[in-house]
Amino acid sequence: MQTVVGVAVVRDGLVLAAYRPDGGWEFPGGKVEPGETDEQAAVREIREELDLEIKVGDSLGPGVDISADYRLHVYLATAVAGDPVLREHSELRWFAPSELDENDWLEPDRPFVRALRKQL
């Protein structure tokens, strides 16, 4: 099973989310390449997708199966340089913790939204 990393990027108490045209908010990220750790993949994916530099922190819980082939792991991260650039999604938004309604998120991301709310 291949690992996909999502990244809950936090800056000034707000969480960055990306909107997928096919139906909901998600934590940006992507596939872990062979030879990469989850953390290395998170840094690379956020740099490629958003032109943002991050420092990866703790996992937000156990992985969630997306399909028979992919498992999602989401990590907390701090934005350390840059401003996010919209490249692969239809919208980017910074959410306050009180605005994080898991029903607006893609199904695999929802348990991580709950975990994130408890930590912020």
Side-chain angles (χ1 to χ4, degrees):
M1 182 166 293
Q2 186 170 8
T3 299
V4 174
V5 292
V7 184
V9 179
V10 177
R11 176 186 280 163
D12 300 326
L14 302 176
V15 180
L16 184 63
Y19 194 80
R20 287 194 19 187
D22 57 355
W25 292 101
E26 70 174 354
F27 295 110
K31 295 175 188 159
V32 177
E33 299 295 335
E36 276 185 322
T37 65
D38 288 5
E39 293 81 1
Q40 290 168 331
V43 168
R44 177 185 52 76
E45 285 286 347
I46 297 304
R47 186 180 295 137
E48 289 173 2
E49 282 187 22
L50 302 172
D51 201 24
L52 194 62
E53 296 299 321
I54 61 169
K55 180 180 180 205
V56 180
D58 293 335
S59 169
L60 286 174
V64 171
D65 290 347
I66 299 173
S67 69
D69 299 321
Y70 296 100
R71 177 172 287 146
L72 175 65
H73 291 267
V74 176
Y75 292 84
L76 195 56
T78 305
V80 294
D83 288 309
V85 175
L86 186 62
R87 290 194 175 126
E88 298 185 14
H89 296 88
S90 60
E91 185 180 349
L92 296 174
R93 180 175 163 198
W94 293 97
F95 284 88
S98 62
E99 298 174 315
L100 293 173
D101 180 351
E102 65 193 72
N103 293 320
D104 296 335
W105 290 69
L106 296 177
E107 186 70 34
D109 290 80
R110 292 177 184 179
F112 301 107
V113 171
R114 284 192 295 273
L116 182 61
R117 275 199 316 240
K118 292 176 184 174
Q119 289 195 22
L120 295 178

